[in-house]
Amino acid sequence: MRILLHRADGITDPWVADFAACLPQAQIIVWQEGVPIAPCDYAVLWSPPVALLPELQHVKAIFLTGAGADGILKYSEALPPVPVIRLGDAGMAIQMAEYVSHAVLRYYRRLDEYDQQARRGIWKQLPQHDKADFTVGVLGTGVLGKRVLDALASFGFPLRGWSRTAKQIEGVECFAGSAQLDDFLRGTRVLVCLLPLTPETTNLLDRSRLSLLPQGAYLINVARGALVAEPDLVTLIRAGHIAGATLDVFRNEPLPAPHPFWDEPKITITPHISALTLRRESIEQISAKLLAFERGEPIADVVDRQRGY
Ligand code: NAP
Ligand code: GLV
C-alpha cells in the first residue's frame, strides 16, 4: 500500500516514522514538487498546492490532517470522485475548549482591563459583569462546538448554539437554520464561531449580522477568517458596538502587514493555534479509518461535498 504524504510545513520525518509504526505494511511517499512518483493508493494531506492535484487521480481516498475540508474542497471539479475523510476531534476538541474558555473568562472577568490598569499602576476593583447577561452563543455545534459548550457549561454561563439541522443539547438553547440566526445573535453576548467555511457560511458575519449582537458584545473566531467580513468588524469595534475580538483565523494567513487588525488594541491575534493537529493522535485515527476502508467497512467523518463539510 502506497500513501502519498504532503505537509505544508515541510516537517515530514516524524510523520513517516509514526506511520511506519502504525501501518507497517504501508510505504509513505513524501510529495515534493517536480519529483515524479508512481501512483499511490491513498493521500494524507490538508490544504495541498495545486501542483499536487494530478497525483490524486489514482488514489482510493483522501485523508485530511485537519478538521476543516475547505482547503481541499476549493478544488471542487479538479478532485477525483473519491471519499475525503477529515479528522474527527483527534485531540483538537479539548484544545478548542481550552482556548475558547480562556477567551470567554478573560472578557467576563475583565482581565484585559485589569492588565491595562496594572500597567498604569492602578489598584481598582471594577464592577463584576452579571453572568446572566453574559450568554455565550456558539455558531456550529459539531464535534468542536459541542465540546466548547460542555466546557463553558461548567462555569455556569447561559449557553446557546446554532447549527444547520435542529439539535437538542442539554443546558443549551438550540437554534437552527438561517430563519433562527437573527434571534440567536440578538441574545448572544459572546459569539464563538466554530462553523466550517462553505458557500453558505462565507461572509456570514457581516456588518448587518454583527450589528444584531447587543452593544458591548465580543467575538471569538476560531473557525475560518472568511466567515467574517473583516472591514465590518473593524468598523463595529471602532464604533464601540463590539467591545473586543479574539481572532485565531484570518482570510489571508499569515495575517499580512499592514492590516488594520494589527493596530486595533481591542483585537487579540493568535496564529491559527486554537486547535493544532496532534501528529500521533491524527496518524492513529487515519490509520484505523484507512484499514476499515480497506475492509469495506463504513467510516466516520466522510466529508459531504454537497454540504461542503
Ligand atoms: P463539524 O463537526 O462538521 O461541525 C460543524 C457544525 O457547523 C455543525 O454543527 C453544522 O451543523 C454547523 N454548520 C455547518 N454549516 C452550517 C450552516 N450553513 N448553518 C448553520 N450551521 C452550519 O466540524 P468541527 O469538527 O466541529 O469543526 C468546525 C470547524 O472548525 C472546521 O470546519 C474548521 O474550519 C475549524 N477548525 C479550526 C481550527 C483552528 O485551529 N482554528 C482547528 C480545527 C477546526 P449540523 O450539526 O446541523 O451539521
Ligand atoms: C484547522 O484549522 C483544521 O481545520 O483542522
Side-chain angles (χ1 to χ4, degrees):
M1 177 198 299
R2 289 167 54 79
I3 301 179
L4 176 73
L5 174 71
H6 173 258
R7 295 286 310 154
D9 62 8
I11 302 170
T12 52
D13 287 355
W15 284 80
V16 173
D18 285 352
F19 262 119
C22 254
L23 278 180
Q25 65 274 50
Q27 186 190 353
I28 310 297
I29 295 98
V30 176
W31 184 80
Q32 287 171 284
E33 184 155 14
V35 179
I37 51 171
C40 290
D41 303 295
Y42 295 99
V44 173
L45 45 75
W46 186 47
S47 184
V50 70
L52 182 148
L53 297 187
E55 307 301 342
L56 298 181
Q57 300 311 318
H58 313 285
V59 302
K60 294 187 268 185
I62 300 168
F63 290 89
L64 303 182
T65 55
D70 49 299
I72 183 94
L73 294 190
K74 68 185 177 194
Y75 294 121
S76 58
E77 303 301 305
L79 292 177
V82 296
V84 173
I85 301 109
R86 71 185 191 98
L87 287 180
D89 187 351
M92 284 192 276
I94 191 163
Q95 296 178 70
M96 211 44 112
E98 292 162 357
Y99 184 102
V100 174
S101 298
H102 176 269
V104 171
L105 292 170
R106 190 162 52 88
Y107 292 135
Y108 173 61
R109 297 302 305 266
R110 308 184 72 161
L111 295 176
D112 281 349
E113 293 163 80
Y114 284 119
D115 197 35
Q116 283 162 22
Q117 284 192 175
R119 275 165 216 296
R120 288 182 287 138
I122 297 171
W123 176 282
K124 183 179 166 210
Q125 295 182 343
L126 302 169
Q128 180 80 320
H129 285 303
D130 180 359
K131 196 171 267 181
D133 184 38
F134 232 78
T135 298
V136 184
V138 179
L139 291 167
T141 57
V143 174
L144 303 181
K146 177 74 175 46
R147 182 68 184 80
V148 163
L149 285 162
D150 285 349
L152 292 169
S154 67
F155 298 108
F157 289 106
L159 298 173
R160 43 178 57 193
W162 184 71
S163 51
R164 199 176 52 83
T165 55
K167 297 269 171 69
Q168 279 192 324
I169 306 172
E170 200 185 331
V172 179
E173 194 181 354
C174 291
F175 298 73
S178 43
Q180 295 183 2
L181 180 58
D182 289 3
D183 280 348
F184 168 89
L185 292 171
R186 282 192 189 99
T188 290
R189 180 73 182 275
V190 185
L191 181 65
V192 178
C193 191
L194 264 169
L195 291 167
L197 183 66
T198 70
E200 279 95 67
T201 62
T202 302
N203 290 321
L204 183 84
L205 299 177
D206 61 6
R207 187 174 181 154
S208 63
R209 294 224 174 77
L210 289 171
S211 299
L212 295 174
L213 296 169
Q215 176 83 21
Y218 298 92
L219 171 69
I220 300 168
N221 186 13
V222 280
R224 287 292 182 267
L227 296 164
V228 179
E230 292 183 342
D232 293 356
L233 176 61
V234 173
T235 302
L236 289 168
I237 285 182
R238 290 189 181 151
H241 187 76
I242 294 193
T246 297
L247 307 177
D248 183 51
V249 286
F250 304 89
R251 199 166 284 257
N252 295 307
E253 295 181 4
L255 181 65
H259 189 290
F261 285 174
W262 288 117
D263 303 318
E264 178 47 63
K266 290 184 179 153
I267 293 182
T268 299
I269 293 169
T270 53
H272 203 137
I273 49 78
S274 51
L276 298 166
T277 293
L278 301 181
R279 191 183 67 250
R280 287 208 187 90
E281 285 85 339
S282 302
I283 287 175
E284 276 168 21
Q285 185 177 114
I286 290 170
S287 301
K289 285 173 172 168
L290 192 154
L291 292 175
F293 182 81
E294 283 273 298
R295 292 191 297 268
E297 295 168 8
I299 44 175
D301 308 311
V302 177
V303 173
D304 180 331
R305 293 203 199 181
Q306 281 301 112
R307 288 186 328 191
Y309 70 100

